[in-house]
Amino acid sequence: MQNRLHYNEKYLRTALIVDDEVVNRELLGGILEEEYNLLYAENGDEAIDLINIHQTSISIILLDLIMPKVSGLEVLKFIQADENYKNIPVIVLTSQVSAEVDSLKSGAVDFIPKPYNMPEVILSRVNRMVELFEDRQIIRGAERDSLTGLFSINFFYEYCDIMENYHPERDMDAVVLNIDRFKMINEVYGRQYADEVLKTLADVVKKFANEREGIAGRGEDDTLYMYLNHQESYTELTEKINSTFAKSNQSSYLHVRIGVYPKSYEMTPLKDMFFRAMLACDTIKDKVHMSILTFDKNLRTKIVFRERLIRDINEAIEKKQFVPYYQPKYYIQKDKAVLAGAEALVRWKHPEFGMVSPASFISLFEANGLIQLVDHFIWEEAAAQIKEWKKKYGTSVPVSVNISRVDFYNPNLEEWILKLVDENGLQPDELHLEITESCYADNAQQLLSVVSRLRRTGFKIELDDFGSGYSSLNVLSSLPIDVLKIDMKFINTMHDNEKNLLIVKMIMDIARILGVPTIAEGVETQQQHDDLKKMGCDMIQGYYYSKPVPAEEFEEFFKFTPEK
C-alpha cells in the first residue's frame, strides 16, 4: 500500500499505520484518510525506518502488536528509549485482551480492539489522543525554559506549591542566584557566550537541587531559583560553581550571588520567601568578597531602614536635612601649608535616625538613580557657599563637588551646572567637578564628550579615587583632567605595604608626565605628610588637617594657616 502525504491548504496531521495485514491497513486508512496524512508499514522494521524519517511530522502511531520480524512491543520499546520519539502517542491494535496491559505498561496510550467495526468511535479516539498530546506538548514547552531546561518561573512556583501541599512539614530553603554584571558579559563577549555561561550555571544548580530533593527554575535574564531541603551552608554550591567554570574555561572572574531565605525563619507565603531571598541576593550585588547572604533579622532591619531613606529623600531635600560638610585641601610644597580649596561632602541630619552616614545612602541612591537629587542639592549649596565666602572674606576658595555616574546620563547636565555658576556670580574654575574611574567604565564615550565640553567652558576636572578601578591608565590616556586624586587606600597602607608605596610613587611620576597636580586623600599622620611632600605631592586632604566640618567651622581655615 502506498504512503499518502497531502500538502494542500488544509493542515493535516500525519498518522503512521503499522499492521502486517493489508486489509487492516486499508480499513484504518479509510477511516482516517479525510483528516490525516497517512504513512503505512507492514512490519516493525519498516515502522522504525519511517519513524526515523518522519519523526517531526508524525502525530500518532497505530501499531499492531503481533507482526513478523520485529513485533509491536519491540517497536514500542524503541520509541520509549529515544527522547526524540517518546512523546509520539501510540495506540495499539490487538485482538488479545491479555496484551492490552503489557502494551500500556510499555508506553502505549490507548488500544483499539479488532475487528474495526466502529469507524466513528475509532476516529474519535484517535483525534482525542492527538489533541491530548498536542496540548501536553504545548504545556511542556511552556513548562521549561528553552535555554537552560529549568522550569519556567510560573511552573516553578506551581511545583513549589505542590511540594508544600504534600509535605508541609519539610524544612525548606528559597534560594535566588544571580550573576553580577551579566549584561556586561553579554555586551563584551556576545550573546552566545553569555548563554553558554548561563547554561553552565543552570546545570550546576539543577544537579545541586535534585540531589537535595528540590527543584530549580529560571526567572528573568540570569536569575535562577531553587526550592530545596534546608542547607546549613551553601559553600559547597559556590565551590561547585567556581570549579565548573574553571574546568569549562569560562570567565573565572564571574561573581555569582546567592540569596537564601529559610522557611524556618518565619512562616510566610511562598512568593514572599523568594522575594526576601532576592533582597538578600541584591544586597551583595557587586560585593565580590561576598557570595552568599541569608535573610535574617539584621538584614530585615537594614532593608526596612534603606526603604525609609528612599521614602524620605524628597522631604530631606525640601527641609534641607542634607547638609554639605567641607574638608580642606592644602598645598604642601611651600614652607607653610596654604589653603588650596575644599571638597563638599554630604551629610544627612535625619529627624528620626540622627546623623546618617553617607555610607548608608550614597551607594543606595546611586543604584536607583536618586543620587541625582542629592548631587543637585549639594551643588546648589556649594555654589551659594562659595559666593558667600567671597563676599565675606574677599577671596575665592574653590570647592569641588562630586559628579555621580548617573549624572552623566542627564542631557541637561552642562546647562544645569553653567546656570548654577552664573546665578551665583562665579567663574567656572571656582566650582571643581570630581569624577571617578567607574564613570569611565560605565560609558566612556558619553563621559569623554561631556567632560571635554565642561573643560572648554572653564571647569576644573578632578579624577577621584585614582587607582581603585580596572582601567586607570586607559582613563588617563584619553580623559582630559586637571587634578589627579590618589585613592586613600594606597595612602593608608603605603607604610605597611611596600607595593602600595611604589604605586603611590608611580602615580606621582605619571602626574608629572601629564603635567597635572596631585591630591593625596585620607592623609592622617605626620609620616604620611612628610613622605608625600618628599615625593612631590602637591596637595593633601584628610584628618591630618581636618575632618569634614560644617561651613561655619570651615571658616576658621580662612583665618589662619595650620602650623603643620
Side-chain angles (χ1 to χ4, degrees):
M1 183 175 293
Q2 189 177 16
N3 291 318
R4 291 181 296 169
L5 296 177
H6 304 276
Y7 298 99
N8 52 27
E9 294 180 0
K10 178 183 177 183
Y11 167 74
L12 293 179
R13 303 176 179 94
T14 298
L16 170 60
I17 300 173
V18 186
D19 197 309
D20 61 329
E21 295 288 342
V22 65
V23 175
N24 290 334
R25 295 199 299 272
E26 289 180 347
L27 285 171
L28 290 171
I31 294 170
L32 302 179
E33 65 181 352
E34 291 299 319
E35 297 191 23
Y36 290 86
N37 290 316
L38 298 176
L39 296 172
Y40 296 99
E42 62 182 53
N43 57 57
D45 282 337
E46 288 186 9
I48 290 172
D49 288 341
L50 287 170
I51 291 169
N52 285 327
I53 295 170
H54 299 282
Q55 56 172 297
T56 59
S57 61
I58 296 175
S59 298
I60 193 162
I61 299 172
L62 282 71
L63 178 66
D64 187 18
L65 289 182
I66 302 175
M67 294 182 295
K69 297 182 181 180
V70 177
S71 71
L73 284 176
E74 290 177 279
V75 175
L76 265 176
K77 289 178 182 178
F78 165 78
I79 292 170
Q80 292 302 308
D82 194 310
E83 289 294 327
N84 294 317
Y85 306 152
K86 65 188 301 182
N87 292 322
I88 303 173
V90 179
I91 298 178
V92 298
L93 311 170
T94 180
S95 58
Q96 298 180 358
V97 176
S98 60
E100 294 168 0
V101 174
D102 289 338
S103 61
L104 291 173
K105 287 182 178 179
S106 298
V109 297
D110 199 359
F111 59 90
I112 296 175
K114 296 179 180 180
Y116 311 130
N117 52 12
M118 300 180 69
E120 291 183 359
V121 173
I122 291 173
L123 180 60
S124 295
R125 291 174 76 167
V126 170
N127 286 342
R128 180 59 178 155
M129 284 302 159
V130 170
E131 290 168 1
L132 284 173
F133 274 77
E134 286 179 348
D135 289 345
R136 189 175 77 171
Q137 288 298 97
I138 293 171
I139 293 171
R140 183 169 292 170
E143 180 183 70
R144 297 282 181 174
D145 171 57
S146 59
L147 175 65
T148 63
L150 302 181
F151 287 118
S152 60
I153 191 62
N154 290 332
F155 277 89
F156 174 79
Y157 283 132
E158 289 290 337
Y159 283 119
C160 288
D161 283 330
I162 291 171
M163 293 169 70
E164 278 300 300
N165 290 336
Y166 281 99
H167 299 284
E169 77 287 350
R170 286 175 63 185
D171 190 9
M172 306 290 285
D173 287 343
V175 181
V176 174
L177 301 93
N178 209 272
I179 302 173
D180 269 344
R181 296 179 176 268
F182 186 70
K183 291 181 179 178
M184 186 66 71
I185 295 172
N186 252 311
E187 185 68 27
V188 174
Y189 297 100
R191 177 68 176 273
Q192 184 177 352
Y193 180 86
D195 284 349
E196 288 301 319
V197 168
L198 194 56
K199 284 194 286 186
T200 300
L201 177 61
D203 289 342
V204 176
V205 167
K206 183 178 181 180
K207 183 178 179 182
F208 188 87
N210 288 343
E211 290 172 350
R212 289 152 183 82
E213 300 181 50
I215 59 173
R218 182 190 178 191
E220 294 183 358
D221 299 325
D222 59 319
T223 305
L224 305 183
Y225 297 80
M226 290 191 297
Y227 195 55
L228 70 171
N229 285 336
H230 173 66
Q231 306 295 303
E232 290 300 324
S233 170
Y234 283 86
T235 303
E236 182 181 350
L237 176 57
T238 60
E239 291 173 350
K240 286 181 181 292
I241 291 170
N242 293 335
S243 64
T244 301
F245 280 128
K247 289 176 184 176
S248 63
N249 294 320
Q250 289 173 330
S251 308
S252 58
Y253 59 83
L254 280 173
H255 179 224
V256 178
R257 295 176 279 117
I258 303 172
V260 183
Y261 184 88
K263 176 182 169 183
S264 58
Y265 173 73
E266 181 181 74
M267 290 299 294
T268 188
L270 188 73
K271 288 190 177 181
D272 287 348
M273 289 175 60
F274 282 99
F275 175 73
R276 293 176 180 181
M278 179 68 80
L279 289 175
C281 186
D282 287 345
T283 299
I284 53 176
K285 186 175 183 179
D286 293 328
K287 295 182 180 179
V288 294
H289 62 286
M290 289 184 69
S291 296
I292 309 164
L293 186 62
T294 299
F295 190 97
D296 57 15
K297 182 179 179 181
N298 291 334
L299 181 57
R300 182 189 186 111
T301 300
K302 182 178 180 180
I303 290 171
V304 171
F305 173 68
R306 287 159 66 93
E307 288 303 308
R308 275 292 309 276
L309 296 183
I310 292 172
R311 190 194 74 179
D312 294 346
I313 185 172
N314 289 320
E315 182 180 348
I317 290 174
E318 181 183 343
K319 295 184 177 180
K320 293 197 172 185
Q321 294 169 8
F322 289 114
V323 179
Y325 273 42
Y326 299 90
Q327 188 171 38
K329 306 173 187 177
Y330 276 90
Y331 287 115
I332 59 170
Q333 289 302 323
K334 296 183 179 181
D335 292 337
K336 288 187 177 182
V338 177
L339 184 65
E343 179 180 2
L345 299 162
V346 64
R347 298 294 184 267
W348 189 351
K349 293 182 179 179
H350 195 281
E352 181 179 342
F353 303 132
M355 188 66 79
V356 179
S357 167
S360 299
F361 62 86
I362 293 294
S363 60
L364 173 65
F365 293 158
E366 283 179 338
N368 56 29
L370 292 174
I371 193 66
Q372 289 188 82
L373 301 177
V374 180
D375 285 345
H376 291 182
F377 179 82
I378 294 300
W379 300 347
E380 289 178 345
E381 293 294 301
Q385 190 63 65
I386 297 170
K387 177 183 178 181
E388 182 179 333
W389 283 337
K390 285 179 69 175
K391 183 178 179 181
K392 190 172 183 178
Y393 296 103
T395 185
S396 174
V397 174
V399 174
S400 59
V401 294
N402 288 285
I403 310 292
S404 302
R405 66 181 76 177
V406 179
D407 294 316
F408 284 99
Y409 290 97
N410 185 344
N412 300 317
L413 174 63
E414 300 157 71
E415 179 184 346
W416 204 91
I417 295 178
L418 280 170
K419 181 181 178 183
L420 189 63
V421 168
D422 290 340
E423 288 177 347
N424 287 279
L426 306 180
Q427 295 300 313
D429 63 359
E430 293 178 284
L431 187 69
H432 292 196
L433 309 178
E434 285 196 15
I435 61 176
T436 63
E437 288 183 61
S438 60
C439 297
Y440 182 89
D442 276 359
N443 193 331
Q445 287 305 121
Q446 174 78 1
L447 179 69
L448 290 172
S449 175
V450 175
V451 167
S452 296
R453 289 196 296 269
L454 287 169
R455 282 189 84 236
R456 286 196 295 269
T457 309
F459 288 98
K460 299 294 184 183
I461 306 297
E462 299 183 6
L463 182 60
D464 196 15
D465 296 335
F466 181 75
S468 62
Y470 297 102
S471 55
S472 302
L473 294 178
N474 191 31
V475 172
L476 286 183
S477 68
S478 54
L479 185 66
I481 61 169
D482 299 287
V483 180
L484 189 62
K485 299 187 74 173
I486 306 171
D487 186 17
M488 69 172 61
K489 72 180 179 184
F490 295 116
I491 305 302
N492 292 339
T493 60
M494 69 181 189
H495 291 120
D496 302 321
N497 186 318
E498 186 176 351
K499 289 183 179 178
N500 283 352
L501 179 61
L502 291 173
I503 289 174
V504 172
K505 291 179 179 178
M506 181 185 70
I507 293 173
M508 300 287 187
D509 291 338
I510 292 173
R512 277 191 285 272
I513 292 171
L514 295 174
V516 297
T518 52
I519 299 176
E521 293 186 284
V523 178
E524 297 182 358
T525 68
Q526 186 72 48
Q527 185 181 9
Q528 289 171 346
H529 171 277
D530 294 346
D531 286 349
L532 287 165
K533 185 173 182 178
K534 289 177 184 176
M535 289 181 213
C537 183
D538 299 284
M539 288 170 273
I540 274 178
Q541 178 182 342
Y543 277 39
Y544 178 75
Y545 284 118
S546 174
K547 64 182 180 180
V549 295
E552 57 270 20
E553 292 184 34
F554 186 88
E555 292 183 6
E556 294 297 316
F557 299 116
F558 285 93
K559 301 174 184 177
F560 67 94
T561 298
E563 295 296 330
K564 293 197 175 185

